[in-house]
Amino acid sequence: MTAEELQSGYVFLLDKPLDWTSFQAVNKMKYKLKREFNLPKKFKIGHAGTLDPRATGLLIVCCGKFTKKIPEIQDAPKEYWTEIKIGVQTESYDTEKPEILHQDIAHITEEQIKEVLEKFVGEIEQKPPVYSAIKVDGQRAYNLARAGEEVEMKSRKTTIFYINDIKINLPLVGFTVGCSKGTYIRSLAHDIGQELGVGAYLTQLRRTKIGDYTIENATTDFLDNEYRFENL
């Protein structure tokens, strides 16, 4: 790989670690590439779809002229391996905040869970979590929420293409979900809990696919000095 090739355009498939922001992962890649290939200060690089810090998995990073492809990649369907815990909730809908509102789940059956999951396949209305990067009155919702302010999130339409590979080991429920751009899996976890009547929150999230790109081809080498890359 050369500096000229990088500026002509490459896409990197990264396996983002837990507790890293997408911004940190891109910055790490940018720093290493600029240092190794003596790239100009204005070298273009960016990711095609944010992953929350508490999520792991596929993060696509485009550089050079391929940064123009970012909107196209962001619009592609996504796939996630998801685990939720039922019978309890958190304010953030994931593990960022402590558990609250514990409820008994002794009456919940596996068949009931599968029936509820099936209800969410198709086009649905969804409210993003208050602990999200969406802007409300010009400010990030998570900043307002962390400051103790009440945040009203507006519902939006999204599509769940499928929910399969369901694994139930109560209180944990795992499944694979395919969805459209803009779907919040944390909100899906919360909404599933509300439909069950006992609450739920997201305990694990791993993005496994974006369009035709899969986690099997992703790498953690960007944490070191080696790179695996694809020429689009």
Side-chain angles (χ1 to χ4, degrees), residues 153-199:
M153 306 301 290
K154 294 181 179 179
S155 295
R156 54 177 65 185
K157 291 186 185 297
T158 190
T159 302
I160 304 298
F161 300 120
Y162 54 84
I163 294 177
N164 55 31
D165 300 327
I166 301 168
K167 295 177 174 57
I168 300 173
N169 184 21
L170 294 177
L172 301 177
V173 180
F175 52 89
T176 297
V177 54
C179 57
S180 63
K181 172 189 175 183
T183 302
Y184 281 88
I185 307 300
R186 283 182 289 153
S187 291
L188 178 63
H190 174 80
D191 293 345
I192 289 168
Q194 296 305 299
E195 186 69 24
L196 285 167
V198 295

Side-chain angles (χ1 to χ4, degrees), residues 82-89 99 101-110 113 117 166-175 189 192-193 196 198-204:
T82 306
E83 183 189 78
I84 68 173
K85 183 177 180 180
I86 69 170
V88 63
Q89 301 178 52
E99 293 184 347
L101 304 176
H102 291 77
Q103 295 192 53
D104 180 40
I105 63 169
H107 62 289
I108 301 293
T109 66
E110 291 193 7
I113 292 169
L117 291 176
I166 301 168
K167 295 177 174 57
I168 300 173
N169 184 21
L170 294 177
L172 301 177
V173 180
F175 52 89
I192 289 168
L196 285 167
V198 295
Y201 74 95
L202 185 67
T203 52
Q204 290 189 54

Side-chain angles (χ1 to χ4, degrees), residues 5-6 68 72 93-94 101 113 116 122 142 165 168 205 220:
E5 288 174 326
L6 285 169
K68 294 179 181 179
E72 174 189 334
Y93 298 176
D94 64 5
L101 304 176
I113 292 169
V116 165
Y142 57 69
D165 300 327
I168 300 173
L205 185 65
T220 57

Side-chain angles (χ1 to χ4, degrees), residues 16 30 69 174 182:
K16 188 189 80 66
K30 184 177 182 179
K69 295 181 178 287

